[in-house]
Amino acid sequence: MTEAILKNVAIIGCGIGRLHIVEGYANHRDKFRVLALCDIDAARLDKLGAEFAVTRLSTSFDEILRMDDVEVIDICTPPGLHYPQILAALEAGKEVVCEKPLAGSLAEVDAIIAAERTARGRVMPIFQYRYGNGIQKAKRIVESGLAGKPYTAVVETAWKRTPAYYAVPWRGRWSTELGGVLLTHAIHLHDMMTYLMGPVEAVFGRIATRVNAIEVEDCAAASLRMASGALVSLAATLGSQQEISRLRFCFEHVTFESGLEPYAPGNDPWQIIPASDSADARIAAALDGWQDVAPRFHSQLGRYHAALTGGTALPVTLADARRALELVTALYHSAESGAEVTLPIGPDHPKYRGWRPRQL
Ligand SMILES: NC(=O)c1ccc[n+]([C@@H]2O[C@H](COP(=O)([O-])OP(=O)(O)OC[C@H]3O[C@@H](n4cnc5c(N)ncnc54)[C@H](O)[C@@H]3O)[C@@H](O)[C@H]2O)c1
């Protein structure tokens, strides 16, 4: 029996949840219907409902879970709520989409992975920065084996956040944001980096809070060795007066450099600089007939629908979220201990149950 094509979605949290509609579901009206919205802030809920003509509005997450016709629960609440809400949604038999960060520790991610194994639904973490023509062309070249040996990457997340951003009470605190620039902001670019460069093997990291009067870090720098042997440098700040994102990858046969658009660095233009005429020809052949890959939520949610209806692998998986949070764990542990941290990180690691600094 084929699955029904139109999937009924409930969005939980009307902040970034609005962009899931604008960039995602509204571009796929033949695939998804936003049936319900949920937020504990009734005014925000009413406003979003009116904007998109969604009439089923609730301030109760539990009430949404009891709605039999809701198939997908899209969690866009503050980070500290993701873990219990994912487990409750799986328990209710729903498909789950969840914003980053997926959870507050590797132990929680592993518990979600275990719960998914026996659940009816699956969990798709959000990593929308992977989508756009630039990064997707680079991905095709790497996956075709044309890039050759990875040498180095440099990843800069240079964004700006002012006290107004931190007026929202959950932000800036370990107990509710769960981390700072590494967890909340740079996680996107770091995911893009591992998407192209593969797994991380060893990490040395430093963090500092220098831009805003907050608990969590807003500056970070790190040096990584990848499983391939490649070396990677990460720099992240929320104190850049010009906001940019930039990724530069040097492989044996090609160098890639992203555009600078802070919130869509996966979009073209990416520079693709081949090492030779023959590499150029092979890359041109691999990109022949390129089909446009829309940016961000548009593509991630479109591909999600194909996976839901086709029963195929999700475009972003729990393993991807685990890999991102394993890097976060390693970076925080290295920054605190002053030592290099090697991956993988399992249950016997001191930060497996939480990366928060010891004194907090
Ligand atoms: N992927 C991205 O690019 C991106 C961008 C921004 C935020 N985010 C992530 O999305 C999440 C939300 O961030 P935001 O900026 O939208 O925050 P926000 O504070 O603007 O919005 C969160 C909403 O959740 C509501 N809420 C809180 N508790 C709730 C509950 N129990 N049930 C229902 N609603 C509840 C709040 O009232 C609020 O309206 C965070 O995890 C953040 O890291 C991701």
Side-chain angles (χ1 to χ4, degrees), residues 300-320:
Q300 185 172 349
L301 290 171
R303 289 174 185 212
Y304 178 53
H305 184 271
L308 279 183
T309 51
T312 51
L314 297 173
V316 181
T317 64
L318 288 176
D320 295 330

Side-chain angles (χ1 to χ4, degrees), residues 151-319:
Y151 294 157
T152 60
V154 179
V155 181
E156 287 173 81
T157 307
W159 295 1
K160 182 172 178 174
R161 295 292 182 271
T162 62
Y165 175 83
Y166 289 103
V168 176
W170 65 262
R171 295 196 179 124
R173 299 169 208 275
W174 285 105
S175 62
T176 45
E177 188 172 349
L178 311 178
V181 66
L182 286 174
L183 183 72
T184 300
H185 310 92
I187 195 167
H188 288 294
L189 270 69
H190 298 170
D191 173 68
M192 292 170 75
M193 186 278 292
T194 54
Y195 186 58
L196 293 182
M197 285 284 232
V200 178
E201 186 176 78
V203 168
F204 189 88
R206 295 182 194 277
I207 59 172
T209 307
R210 300 179 62 75
V211 183
N212 283 287
I214 53 175
E215 255 179 31
V216 297
E217 86 289 352
D218 52 25
C219 296
S223 169
L224 274 46
R225 189 177 66 250
M226 308 301 283
S228 66
L231 302 180
V232 173
S233 178
L234 309 176
T237 183
L238 298 177
S240 176
Q241 299 314 320
Q242 183 199 11
E243 289 197 295
I244 64 153
S245 292
R246 173 163 41 206
L247 303 98
R248 187 173 174 88
F249 298 92
C250 296
F251 287 77
E252 184 181 3
H253 302 305
V254 60
T255 291
F256 302 108
E257 185 160 329
S258 74
L260 301 182
E261 174 59 40
Y263 303 113
N267 285 358
D268 263 337
W270 274 43
Q271 290 185 63
I272 300 175
I273 307 159
S276 62
D277 289 346
S278 62
D280 194 11
R282 285 194 298 272
I283 287 169
L287 298 181
D288 191 37
W290 182 256
Q291 305 256 319
D292 188 54
V293 178
R296 291 170 42 102
F297 298 119
H298 187 153
S299 278
Q300 185 172 349
L301 290 171
R303 289 174 185 212
Y304 178 53
H305 184 271
L308 279 183
T309 51
T312 51
L314 297 173
V316 181
T317 64
L318 288 176

